[in-house]
């Protein structure tokens, strides 16, 4: 599993920072494949992540929106694949 990280130069050193979308994918991975509770996995990821507050809102919407519409997404994928 490959996780992409953005690298920001700040002064002498640099830090690696995940995007909000990457954090959301990691949370969904835990929920779907490791059977984690979404609220706990999301809370843990938001607390550990180094993202801005606005990105935390995006992460929350991506995670809960994907979970809410998972059945519909699965049905659309099933309909367009042969």
């Amino acid at each position: 599993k490959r996780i992409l990280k953005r690298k920001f130069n700040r002064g002498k050193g640099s830090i690696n920072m995940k995007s909000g979308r990457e954090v959301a994918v990691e949370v969904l991975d835990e929920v779907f494949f490791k059977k984690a509770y979404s609220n706990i996995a999301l809370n843990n990821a938001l607390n550990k992540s180094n993202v801005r507050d606005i990105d935390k809102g995006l992460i929350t919407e991506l995670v809960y929106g994907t979970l809410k519409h998972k059945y519909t997404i699965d049905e659309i994928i099933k309909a367009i694949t042969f």
Side-chain angles (χ1 to χ4, degrees):
K1 175 174 153 177
R2 183 177 160 204
I3 300 296
L4 304 174
K5 294 181 181 179
R6 283 192 273 178
K7 197 171 192 177
F8 294 94
N9 291 321
R10 294 190 179 160
K12 293 182 179 180
S14 63
I15 60 169
N16 287 327
M17 188 168 145
K18 293 179 189 174
S19 74
R21 288 168 182 83
E22 291 168 327
V23 175
V25 167
E26 289 177 356
V27 172
L28 289 168
D29 181 68
E30 287 185 36
V31 172
F32 291 139
F33 301 111
K34 298 176 184 172
K35 306 299 183 198
Y37 291 106
S38 60
N39 61 324
I40 295 171
L42 179 60
N43 190 42
N44 289 340
L46 293 177
N47 289 332
K48 290 178 186 176
S49 70
N50 197 14
V51 297
R52 301 174 298 165
D53 287 342
I54 194 164
D55 290 330
K56 289 181 180 183
L58 172 66
I59 295 164
T60 302
E61 289 298 320
L62 288 171
V63 169
Y64 288 138
T66 301
L67 294 173
K68 178 178 179 181
H69 297 290
K70 182 184 181 306
Y71 176 78
T72 303
I73 294 167
D74 287 345
E75 289 300 310
I76 291 169
I77 291 170
K78 192 184 328 177
I80 61 173
T81 56
F82 303 113

